[in-house]
Amino acid sequence: MQMEMIDLGTPEGRARADEFEREAAREAATGQQLYAKIKKSSKYYNQNSWAQAEPERWGWPFRVHIIAAPGDYCVQGGPGGQYRLADVNLYVIDDGREMKIA
C-alpha cells in the first residue's frame, strides 16, 4: 500500500479516503485484528474524540494495520489515517475484552 496525501475537502478526496478504509478493512480481516487508541502524550490525542464520536465509521478503539513504510508512520488506519508506533497503544480484542499489546 502506497502512502499518499488525501484532501478530504474534495469529493475525490473523500472517495479515495473511503476506498482506503475499505482496503484497510480487507487487509485487517486476513489476520489478527489490531486496534489502537492514541496516547495522551501524542500531539494527535484529540483524534480519539473523533473516533469516539463516530464509532460506526472508525470504531473504538479503532482498527489499524502495520505496514513497512519509509519513515515512522507505519500504523495505518483510524481518523488521522496514519500514526507512529510511539503515538498509539495497540490492542487486540478477544471475546469483547481489550488486551493491550505491550
Side-chain angles (χ1 to χ4, degrees), residues 46-77:
N46 69 309
Q47 293 177 7
N48 279 333
S49 63
W50 301 355
Q52 290 169 316
E54 292 187 81
E56 66 286 345
R57 180 175 184 186
W58 306 111
W60 182 249
F62 51 86
R63 289 177 118 180
V64 296
H65 63 278
I66 309 296
I67 63 168
D72 295 331
Y73 291 83
C74 63
V75 180
Q76 303 290 301

Side-chain angles (χ1 to χ4, degrees), residues 27-97:
E27 287 183 21
T30 61
Q32 175 68 56
Q33 302 295 316
L34 288 177
Y35 298 86
K37 293 179 183 178
I38 304 167
K39 295 178 180 178
K40 286 184 182 181
S41 60
S42 170
K43 65 182 178 181
Y44 305 111
Y45 178 71
N46 69 309
Q47 293 177 7
N48 279 333
S49 63
W50 301 355
Q52 290 169 316
E54 292 187 81
E56 66 286 345
R57 180 175 184 186
W58 306 111
W60 182 249
F62 51 86
R63 289 177 118 180
V64 296
H65 63 278
I66 309 296
I67 63 168
D72 295 331
Y73 291 83
C74 63
V75 180
Q76 303 290 301
Q82 59 185 7
Y83 302 95
R84 300 171 300 171
L85 282 171
D87 288 315
V88 297
N89 288 315
L90 295 174
Y91 299 84
V92 294
I93 298 178
D94 185 35
D95 199 22
R97 292 186 1 237

